[in-house]
Amino acid sequence: MSASPPLPECLVSDHTFIEDSSAPDDYENSAFVYPNVVSESEEEALLVDIKSRMKRRRFERGHWDAVILQYKETELVEHDGSLSHTTLDILTRIRSQLAKTHFVKDPHLVWLPSHAIQLREDGDLKAHVDSVRFSGDLVAGLSLASSCIMRLKPAASEEGEEQDLSKGFVDMLLEPRSLYAITGPSRYLYSHELLGDKAVFAPKNIIVNREDRFSIIFRDAKKDEQ
C-alpha cells in the first residue's frame, strides 16, 4: 500500500476536477478540489475508524430538514481515545492545510468538531445551503470510498421555489481521497447537492458509478460564536 504522499503546507487546487463553463457571474472561483490529500493506506485507516463508529447505527431515512436520505452520521470525538493516532494526525494535518490555504494569518480561527457521514449507494443529498447559525466561511469535505459529482447552483430565494439551471451551475468531480472546499458565494449564495448514479462529468467524459460513500466534514466556527 502506498505511503502518505508528500503534501505542501498549502493545498493546490486542480481545476480539471471543476466544470465551471456555465458558472454564474458571481461565482468568483469560490470552489476548490484538492485531489489525493490522503494515501490509500490512510483512507483505509480512516474507514476502519468511521465504520467502527457507524456499525451500531441504522441508516436514517431522512434528516430533520429532509435534505439527506439513507445516511448515517457521527461526530468524530477526538479526546475520548476512540480514534486511531493515524486518524487524529490526518484531521490535524488537513485542518492545518485548510488554515494555511484559506485563513492566512487568522489568529481567531476555531474549528468545529468534524463529522463523518456515510451515504448509502441509493441515498440522496439534495440541494441545500449549510446552516450559518454556528459555522463560518468555509465548508470542506474529504471524500472516501466512492466518487461522486457535487453540483453548486444559485440557491432558491424562497422555500419551495424551483432552482433554475439557466442561472448557471458548477460541477465538481469528487474522487476518493480528494478534498473539496467551498467559500464565498459558493458557501453562502449557492446550494450544493450530489448528483445521482451514472451522472457524467463532461470535461473528463467520466460516468460516475456511485457506491456507498463516506465523507469527513470540516467547518470553521462562526466568528461571533467563538
Side-chain angles (χ1 to χ4, degrees), residues 87-107:
T87 291
L88 293 173
D89 288 346
I90 293 168
L91 296 179
T92 299
R93 185 181 77 205
I94 290 177
R95 290 191 188 113
S96 176
Q97 291 174 316
L98 286 169
K100 291 175 181 177
T101 305
H102 294 283
F103 299 95
V104 179
K105 297 181 180 179
D106 182 352

Side-chain angles (χ1 to χ4, degrees), residues 5 18 41 54 57 68 83 88 116 139 159 216 224:
I18 300 175
S41 60
M54 296 287 198
R57 296 175 180 268
I68 184 169
L83 299 177
L88 293 173
V139 175
E159 186 176 352
I216 299 176
D224 58 11

